Amino acid sequence: MKVVEADEKNRILEYLKKDIANCIYLYLDILNYGISTDNVTVWMEEDHQGIQWIMMKYYDSFQIYSRNTLYELENILHLIQTHRVSMISGPKSIIQQIEKKCGLYHASYGEIFLMDHYRKIDSGHPIEKAKEADAREIAELICGDPEIGGHYEAENLAAQLADRIRTGTGRSYIIRESGNIAAHSAAYAETRDIAVVGGTIVSPNYRNTNYYLLLSNYLLQELLKEGKHVYTFAVSSKMINYHKLLHKKCGEYGKLELIK
């Protein structure tokens, strides 16, 4: 195992690009931010056959990917025990192996979809593109929902959202009610031709509205108009069934959330 150096960035990206749906955050974040920054560190294991696995720490989370079946987890478990991040995500088969060896985390599993269809919904309700100053309120809304925000700390998530808005490596759209953010949806990460959508949520006070569909469809339309391939993740059976009606399944993933 070694920390990846900056001059190995292109090699890492070529490895990830061959199976992008199953390592999308790894690929997009390394492409956007590089190999080593204040908030990004990348490790890899390799042998005579080449790269065995890649693991990235981004803020307070790990993303891991391998095209191989992993049985030797000693170095991976060492990184997990050393850093105690809030979340670890990766292909389902890898997360299942880590779950068996690591009692610090609670596991959940879901599916990855390529979003290439949307419903046309007309509404006169204004939809805004969020600014950096909105990041904290968005983060608090997301963190109030255990399913999509349970592994985040609001301050940490707000910093990530603000960074992505500021650098153009992500975007958020919001609906306001009485000056407050009532609903939100985001491209959590994006490049010129790829985006991953998440964080779609409606405040409990407005769950009887159509804001969820309005925002999620508006964001998808904007991204598809720009020619992007758009991916999303679903864990609950409700959201998996929703996406199966509209979109193409392209992978399975798992996530481990630190037990607090």
Side-chain angles (χ1 to χ4, degrees):
M1 178 184 70
K2 67 175 185 178
V3 175
V4 178
E5 302 295 336
D7 61 1
E8 295 179 289
K9 175 182 175 180
N10 290 336
R11 180 187 172 210
I12 296 294
L13 289 173
E14 284 302 312
Y15 175 80
L16 297 172
K17 195 173 184 179
K18 294 176 182 178
D19 189 23
I20 199 165
N22 288 302
C23 56
I24 189 164
Y25 276 116
L26 260 170
Y27 179 80
L28 293 181
D29 287 338
I30 289 173
L31 184 64
N32 284 330
Y33 299 114
I35 290 292
S36 181
T37 71
D38 289 344
N39 298 310
V40 175
T41 305
V42 181
W43 295 265
M44 74 174 175
E45 186 94 60
E46 57 183 332
D47 59 19
H48 65 281
Q49 294 181 322
I51 296 172
Q52 295 302 300
W53 55 260
I54 295 170
M55 194 163 178
M56 177 182 71
K57 183 176 184 288
Y58 175 74
Y59 281 87
D60 192 33
S61 68
F62 275 142
Q63 286 88 41
I64 186 168
Y65 173 75
S66 173
R67 284 202 288 277
N68 305 313
T69 301
L70 296 180
Y71 296 108
E72 179 51 67
L73 301 177
E74 182 179 353
N75 288 331
I76 291 170
L77 292 173
H78 173 72
L79 289 174
I80 292 171
Q81 291 161 359
T82 300
H83 293 276
R84 293 286 185 101
V85 296
S86 294
M87 185 182 73
I88 304 159
S89 62
K92 180 179 179 180
S93 61
I94 296 174
I95 297 301
Q96 285 176 323
Q97 290 181 60
I98 296 173
E99 179 190 7
K100 293 175 183 177
K101 300 285 187 178
C102 187
L104 300 172
Y105 292 83
H106 167 73
S108 56
Y109 297 94
E111 299 180 4
I112 307 165
F113 293 90
L114 178 65
M115 303 174 74
D116 52 0
H117 293 88
Y118 58 85
R119 300 174 182 176
K120 290 187 177 179
I121 301 175
D122 296 321
S123 171
H125 202 290
I127 295 174
E128 302 176 34
K129 192 172 185 180
K131 300 178 175 62
E132 278 187 68
D134 298 313
R136 179 69 191 207
E137 188 176 354
I138 293 169
E140 290 174 349
L141 181 61
I142 292 171
C143 289
D145 186 303
E147 183 176 318
I148 70 169
H151 59 280
Y152 289 115
E153 297 291 341
E155 184 176 350
N156 195 297
L157 178 57
Q160 294 181 46
L161 291 169
D163 183 50
R164 293 184 185 279
I165 292 170
R166 180 173 59 254
T167 59
T169 55
R171 71 183 85 174
S172 288
Y173 289 101
I174 55 176
I175 291 174
R176 294 187 193 274
E177 285 284 358
S178 303
N180 299 315
I181 295 174
H184 166 266
S185 188
Y188 270 162
E190 59 180 306
T191 63
R192 183 177 62 183
D193 55 357
I194 301 170
V196 56
V197 169
T200 306
I201 186 168
V202 178
S203 168
N205 296 328
Y206 301 98
R207 295 273 166 88
N208 61 342
T209 68
N210 65 347
Y211 289 172
Y212 190 100
L213 283 176
L214 281 179
L215 268 184
S216 57
N217 280 274
Y218 180 85
L219 173 59
L220 183 56
Q221 288 180 65
E222 292 297 298
L223 295 170
L224 292 179
K225 281 193 296 186
E226 296 169 13
K228 298 182 192 290
H229 291 86
V230 184
Y231 297 87
T232 196
F233 297 78
V235 175
S236 70
S237 57
K238 177 183 176 181
M239 292 311 302
I240 288 172
N241 291 333
Y242 168 79
H243 286 296
K244 280 182 175 177
L245 292 173
L246 292 171
H247 307 131
K248 177 184 176 182
K249 178 182 171 181
C250 54
E252 295 182 325
Y253 82 105
K255 63 179 180 178
L256 297 167
E257 297 180 54
L258 186 66
I259 298 170
K260 299 177 181 178

